[in-house]
Amino acid sequence: MIKIIILVSMAIFLVKFLVNFTSLWVQKIILSRWRFNITFQLRELIMTSSSETFIKSDVSVLINRVIDSIPGTVKYFLSPCLDLANYTFLFFIFISIIIFINPYVVFLIGFGSFFFGSAYLFIQGRFLPAITDSYIQSLSSVVSSVSALLKGYKENKIYDSLGYEKKQFENNIRRNSRLDFTLIFFQAIPSIFVEFVAVALILFTLLLLIIVSSDTFAAVLEFSMIVVVAVRMLPILNRSLSALSRIQNGSRHAKAVLDAAQSLAEHASLAEEVHDSHRVLSFRKTIDIEHLTFTYSGTPTPVLHKVSISVKKGEHLGIVGPSGSGKSTLVNVLLGFLTNYSGSFSIDGVPIVGQEIANMRKLVGYVDQTPFLRDATILENVAYAEPPEDADKGRALECL
């Protein structure tokens, strides 16, 4: 029997090592691919989204989704999901070993697990969400207070004679600190329950084996083997709880990514998807705009109303007007970013719609009123869409 205990212990250790190592390697590959695919798909959604929607969007939010929310989704949501699947697999292996040793013990473990699981879900569902939401709100208040302290330094020195800002800062910091450690307290409770339930199960298991077995020595040996298995199960239970907590906390990253993807997908511009790389649009005569009217969604008044322009090749045209008069809107229409307009826009009689939008852009040189420069060489910025090794340096110098 002692030999069996030793062999069971070695088998458990070997199985756990192999499963953990294999799982870690597979997770590395899967999570890396998932992160790449999610990031790339979001990039595609951004590029195929309606230009009107993108122009109105907050670029800083989209940047945050790429550099924070997507890595957060992979690290703090998808990764613990895979961990939980791994721990569940190991848990069932150990349960199978216990069934082989003594099937009656499984009923006791099941009862204990049900009791513990119910208590854990009650704590998670009853307290943690509300505390987490309150903590996030208090953190926002702290950011606001710190910002007011630093950005309003002179104003506080001059006007805050009654100490109102100081009291606000003090109250926000105190509330945030209290909620932070309250959150830590409730997150630690499940681990304490694990130890309590585990010790109780071990004692009840020993009592059960002694009661149902006629041979006390054999019961003690069975109990020893079960304890060996249970000792290996305890870390799995603790890590499973930790994974559940990480999944819950990481769900906000996943929700942010899903919301961004859904918003972009709902406003996808199918007209800009079509490219005809073999067709070359020529410009030999005129660019014609006739009775062009455009209204932004959600606004009653048109920004452009029955605008008609005809520009011959070689002519120079400057468009002037006060802020909000539609200059940028007209340029965005000419670039094919805003397509939901009435009227017509054509080059040499060819309507600029559908695939002709992409063909037209090959004729355009564009510098925005707030120019975007890549973190690269001057050559790469001038020859924007070409790899540095393929860029024509002579043409780039002419442009400069």
Side-chain angles (χ1 to χ4, degrees):
M1 186 62 72
I2 295 176
K3 292 181 180 179
I4 294 176
I5 294 175
I6 295 173
L7 289 174
V8 168
S9 302
M10 292 177 62
I12 292 172
F13 177 78
L14 181 61
V15 168
K16 187 172 183 297
F17 170 78
L18 291 175
V19 170
N20 282 339
F21 183 81
T22 304
S23 173
L24 189 64
W25 178 255
V26 171
Q27 282 190 38
K28 170 185 171 296
I29 297 173
I30 292 176
L31 292 175
S32 176
R33 289 180 180 176
W34 279 357
R35 177 167 172 176
F36 167 78
N37 288 333
I38 294 171
T39 306
F40 189 79
Q41 288 302 317
L42 186 62
R43 186 260 182 202
E44 292 299 289
L45 283 173
I46 290 172
M47 295 308 298
T48 57
S49 66
S50 163
S51 298
E52 182 180 350
T53 301
F54 181 77
I55 289 169
K56 292 181 178 180
S57 65
D58 188 340
V59 174
S60 63
V61 172
L62 292 176
I63 292 173
N64 178 265
R65 295 295 175 262
V66 174
I67 67 175
D68 179 62
S69 297
I70 291 178
T73 299
V74 174
K75 289 181 182 178
Y76 307 122
F77 184 77
L78 296 177
S79 178
C81 283
L82 292 179
D83 288 338
L84 191 61
N86 176 34
Y87 301 147
T88 303
F89 176 69
L90 288 172
F91 182 80
F92 279 110
I93 288 178
F94 292 147
I95 288 294
S96 301
I97 295 174
I98 292 176
I99 291 175
F100 175 76
I101 297 171
N102 192 316
Y104 297 105
V105 177
V106 176
F107 293 103
L108 187 59
I109 293 175
F111 173 77
S113 299
F114 174 78
F115 169 77
F116 167 72
S118 300
Y120 174 77
L121 292 175
F122 174 78
I123 293 173
Q124 287 282 326
R126 184 76 169 82
F127 298 105
L128 275 182
I131 295 173
T132 302
D133 291 342
S134 298
Y135 172 73
I136 293 173
Q137 293 175 6
S138 71
L139 190 60
S140 176
S141 299
V142 169
V143 172
S144 177
S145 292
V146 173
S147 177
L149 172 69
L150 299 177
K151 295 181 179 179
Y153 172 79
K154 294 180 180 179
E155 288 80 359
N156 289 328
K157 294 281 281 188
I158 296 171
Y159 301 115
D160 196 22
S161 58
L162 298 177
Y164 173 76
E165 192 64 39
K166 178 181 178 181
K167 290 177 183 177
Q168 289 289 100
F169 185 88
E170 180 182 353
N171 291 337
N172 289 334
I173 293 295
R174 180 180 287 112
R175 182 169 180 266
N176 179 256
S177 300
R178 184 176 67 252
L179 287 170
D180 191 8
F181 286 99
T182 301
L183 191 62
I184 293 173
F185 170 76
F186 277 101
Q187 287 174 338
I189 286 178
S191 298
I192 299 173
F193 275 1
V194 166
E195 294 181 8
F196 170 76
V197 173
V199 172
L201 284 175
I202 288 174
L203 294 177
F204 278 116
T205 299
L206 178 59
L207 181 62
L208 176 66
L209 290 174
I210 292 175
I211 291 174
V212 300
S213 178
S214 57
D215 188 348
T216 304
F217 180 72
V220 171
L221 287 177
E222 286 184 6
F223 174 74
S224 300
M225 288 189 288
I226 291 172
V227 167
V228 170
V229 177
V231 166
R232 304 311 306 167
M233 287 177 65
L234 278 177
I236 293 175
L237 290 173
N238 271 319
R239 290 169 188 167
S240 297
L241 294 174
S242 175
L244 286 171
S245 179
R246 287 165 59 201
I247 289 170
Q248 186 179 32
N249 293 331
S251 61
R252 63 184 179 88
H253 292 287
K255 185 178 183 303
V257 174
L258 289 174
D259 288 346
Q262 183 178 4
S263 176
L264 292 168
E266 286 176 353
H267 301 91
S269 177
L270 300 179
E272 297 184 33
E273 293 289 325
V274 184
H275 291 259
D276 186 355
S277 58
H278 300 290
R279 174 177 169 80
V280 178
L281 181 67
S282 62
F283 173 38
R284 295 187 178 90
K285 297 178 181 179
T286 60
I287 298 173
D288 297 302
I289 298 173
E290 296 181 356
H291 306 294
L292 189 145
T293 299
F294 179 83
T295 305
Y296 284 105
S297 58
T299 59
T301 306
V303 181
L304 302 173
H305 182 64
K306 294 185 178 180
V307 176
S308 295
I309 302 173
S310 181
V311 184
K312 295 179 181 179
K313 185 174 182 178
E315 288 185 341
H316 294 78
L317 176 67
I319 302 173
V320 296
S323 177
S325 60
K327 302 184 300 297
S328 297
T329 302
L330 179 58
V331 171
N332 284 326
V333 170
L334 294 175
L335 292 171
F337 292 142
L338 301 176
T339 57
N340 189 25
Y341 58 84
S342 62
S344 64
F345 165 38
S346 62
I347 297 178
D348 289 351
V350 179
I352 306 303
V353 293
Q355 68 183 25
E356 298 297 352
I357 292 175
N359 296 328
M360 174 271 298
R361 288 174 182 161
K362 297 174 184 178
L363 304 174
V364 173
Y366 174 69
V367 179
D368 194 37
Q369 57 186 351
T370 54
F372 167 70
L373 293 176
R374 297 168 59 189
D375 184 15
T377 64
I378 295 175
L379 175 63
E380 289 175 84
N381 276 284
V382 174
Y384 188 82
E386 297 184 22
E389 60 273 13
D390 297 336
D392 188 331
K393 295 182 180 180
R395 289 187 61 194
L397 287 172
E398 289 179 12
C399 294
L400 295 173

